[in-house]
Amino acid sequence: YLRELIEWRLKLCEQGETKWNEDTPFHWRSAMWRREVPPETWEEVGELYGKGEHEKCAALAKLLTEAWPNFAAGHNYLGLIARDRGALDEAVGHFERALVVGRTLFPKRIRKDEWWGNHDTRPYIRSLVWLAQTHNRRGDQGKALVCCDRLEGECAQDVTAATERGPIFLNATACLTLWLLFSL
């Protein structure tokens, strides 16, 4: 898949010679100096995940997170793939890495109630949501609720936090009920 990706990218990036790129053999100066993941490549990661092509998506996400260490969404996709495969501990690690990386992307001055409207803050919020869901699947409702508290307190995502708390409380109640039944 990475070979296909490279061939696709080479076709996409064909540039003519200009005064700004004539000193490089492939005229790639602007493509090579880009500080962010190219949008079309980011979209490709999402499309691959949406189609269920996890191997290709993981290969591309790994490549992008290595090339652009600030690509928090790539860590999120790796976490989603691990979660879908049942590797919950691995998924937690990816989501926690996405939180660390995502926090560095925040604009200097932004109100909490504007976080969701800003594309730079979304990977952080999504990481918290998916981390809460993954902790809940692991049976660690306490950690899942901490993520919900962070969604509410840090991100002003009250509705999202409330939505995530529903399944967490249902799982906690089911666990308690089973414990009570088997302890009698």
Side-chain angles (χ1 to χ4, degrees), residues 53-109:
E53 296 183 33
H54 289 160
E55 292 301 321
K56 289 181 178 182
C57 182
L60 182 54
K62 284 179 188 176
L63 175 70
L64 295 175
T65 55
E66 288 176 15
W68 286 274
N70 67 343
F71 186 46
H75 293 289
N76 276 336
Y77 278 110
L78 291 170
L80 288 171
I81 291 167
R83 190 182 74 181
D84 291 350
R85 292 177 175 164
L88 300 181
D89 292 338
E90 181 184 340
V92 166
H94 286 297
F95 293 137
E96 288 176 347
R97 180 71 185 139
L99 284 173
V100 171
V101 172
R103 192 64 174 109
T104 66
L105 301 175
F106 279 42
K108 292 197 185 278
R109 295 178 189 207

Side-chain angles (χ1 to χ4, degrees), residues 3 7 20 32 147 161:
R3 178 178 292 206
E7 290 172 5
W20 307 110
M32 292 178 66
C147 291

Side-chain angles (χ1 to χ4, degrees), residues 5-6 15 18-19 24 29 36 49 63-64 70 76 78 80-82 99 105 109 114 141 146 152 160 166 170:
L5 175 66
I6 291 168
Q15 296 183 27
T18 68
K19 67 179 183 176
T24 63
R29 179 173 302 276
E36 297 175 357
Y49 180 78
L63 175 70
L64 295 175
N70 67 343
N76 276 336
L78 291 170
L80 288 171
I81 291 167
L99 284 173
L105 301 175
R109 295 178 189 207
E114 294 177 354
Q141 284 76 32
V146 168
E152 219 170 39
T160 304
L170 286 173

Side-chain angles (χ1 to χ4, degrees), residues 5-30:
L5 175 66
I6 291 168
E7 290 172 5
W8 166 74
R9 189 71 184 146
L10 288 173
K11 287 178 190 174
L12 186 67
C13 289
E14 289 180 6
Q15 296 183 27
E17 186 175 326
T18 68
K19 67 179 183 176
W20 307 110
N21 65 12
E22 63 190 11
D23 61 333
T24 63
F26 300 104
H27 314 298
W28 285 355
R29 179 173 302 276
S30 63

Side-chain angles (χ1 to χ4, degrees), residues 106-159:
F106 279 42
K108 292 197 185 278
R109 295 178 189 207
I110 185 168
R111 291 189 345 236
K112 288 181 185 179
D113 61 344
E114 294 177 354
W115 281 17
W116 184 252
N118 187 306
H119 289 283
D120 292 333
T121 60
R122 283 188 188 175
Y124 183 83
I125 295 169
R126 287 182 174 132
S127 299
L128 276 175
V129 170
W130 292 327
L131 188 57
Q133 293 171 357
T134 305
H135 281 311
N136 189 28
R137 285 187 188 186
R138 287 174 57 191
D140 197 345
Q141 284 76 32
K143 287 183 179 179
L145 289 172
V146 168
C147 291
C148 291
D149 291 345
R150 289 178 66 186
L151 279 166
E152 219 170 39
E154 292 177 29
C155 309
Q157 295 292 310
D158 301 348
V159 174

